[in-house]
Amino acid sequence: MSANATPQSPVPVIAGLLLAAGGGRRLGGRPKALLPYRGRPLVENAVRVLREAGCGPLHVVLGASAAEVRERAELTGCVVVDNPDWAEGMGSSLRVGLASLAGTGASAALVSLVDQPGIGPAAVARVREAYRSPASLVAAAYGGERGHPVLFGADRWADIAATATGDKGARVHLTEHGDELTLVECGDIAEAFDIDTPPDLARLA
């Protein structure tokens, strides 16, 4: 090594954390992970997006009909964890997911939702590439409005887990630390719609 050379910094490990536990209450109790999308369960699309965006390891949190999702969906290469308290809301799934990443050596968790098929690998990669340190706090934005996916540096996981309750997810942490949040505009390459109600199912065609 020459006198001017410096050792390369290790490549950060950005884990993909997919929240796929929802029971689809407004869809008549159809688990969102199993909604059909291009001939396969919707959860497979969400995993593919994270993988193609360069995230890994991939952890998937299941809840509603977890056994059926494991049986019907191809989740090879993923760490699949069950959230027995999924009905409490997204916060419980986020806590379970972050806990599952402990000990993996991940520098950050990039969190995505199973019911947003309009967000593809390009947007996820854009958020992932905004990682700077284990204190990073990043979110995709659509027309300047905060959305998903979001990236949480590992230094933030404990505080996020402590405040993630009900359907708020990480909203409390994001609000309290808004001055530290990096917004990455993705409205030019993705659509941030949710599949929540029967009319929304048309978007899966």
Side-chain angles (χ1 to χ4, degrees), residues 8 46 78 82 88 93-94 102 109 117 122 152 158 192 196:
Q8 289 186 335
C78 299
D82 290 345
E88 294 180 4
S93 290
L94 182 57
F152 304 126
D196 282 334

Side-chain angles (χ1 to χ4, degrees), residues 32 113 115-117 148 191-197 200 203:
K32 290 188 176 184
L113 307 180
D115 67 341
Q116 294 189 320
H148 284 86
E191 294 182 274
F193 59 82
D194 301 323
I195 305 299
D196 282 334
T197 63
D200 296 333
R203 291 179 175 270

Side-chain angles (χ1 to χ4, degrees), residues 14-204:
I14 310 298
L17 178 56
L18 175 62
L19 305 185
R25 178 176 52 84
R26 286 181 285 173
L27 292 167
R30 301 172 63 185
K32 290 188 176 184
L34 290 176
L35 293 174
Y37 182 63
R38 297 177 180 175
R40 298 296 304 165
L42 186 58
V43 66
E44 291 183 9
N45 173 73
V47 166
R48 176 190 60 80
V49 167
L50 286 171
R51 183 175 287 126
E52 291 184 3
C55 297
L58 302 180
H59 286 219
V60 180
V61 180
L62 300 181
S65 302
E68 186 180 359
V69 176
R70 287 173 180 269
E71 179 181 337
R72 291 178 49 191
E74 175 54 63
L75 298 174
T76 301
C78 299
V79 174
V80 182
V81 293
D82 290 345
N83 173 18
D85 301 318
W86 63 268
E88 294 180 4
M90 188 193 304
S92 63
S93 290
L94 182 57
R95 294 196 305 271
V96 167
L98 291 175
S100 75
L101 290 171
T104 62
S107 301
L110 191 149
V111 181
S112 68
L113 307 180
V114 73
D115 67 341
Q116 294 189 320
I119 301 174
V124 176
R126 193 176 281 183
V127 172
R128 181 182 63 80
E129 289 161 5
Y131 170 86
R132 295 295 179 267
S133 77
S136 287
L137 186 64
V138 185
Y142 302 88
E145 295 294 320
R146 189 185 78 224
H148 284 86
V150 290
L151 181 146
F152 304 126
D155 289 354
R156 297 183 179 273
W157 295 355
D159 185 58
I160 290 170
T163 58
T165 59
D167 272 325
K168 294 179 181 178
R171 200 175 305 155
V172 172
H173 186 88
L174 288 165
T175 300
E176 292 180 349
H177 298 272
D179 57 337
E180 303 163 37
L181 175 65
T182 297
L183 289 178
V184 179
E185 182 59 46
C186 294
D188 58 320
I189 53 174
E191 294 182 274
F193 59 82
D194 301 323
I195 305 299
D196 282 334
T197 63
D200 296 333
L201 295 174
R203 291 179 175 270
L204 295 175

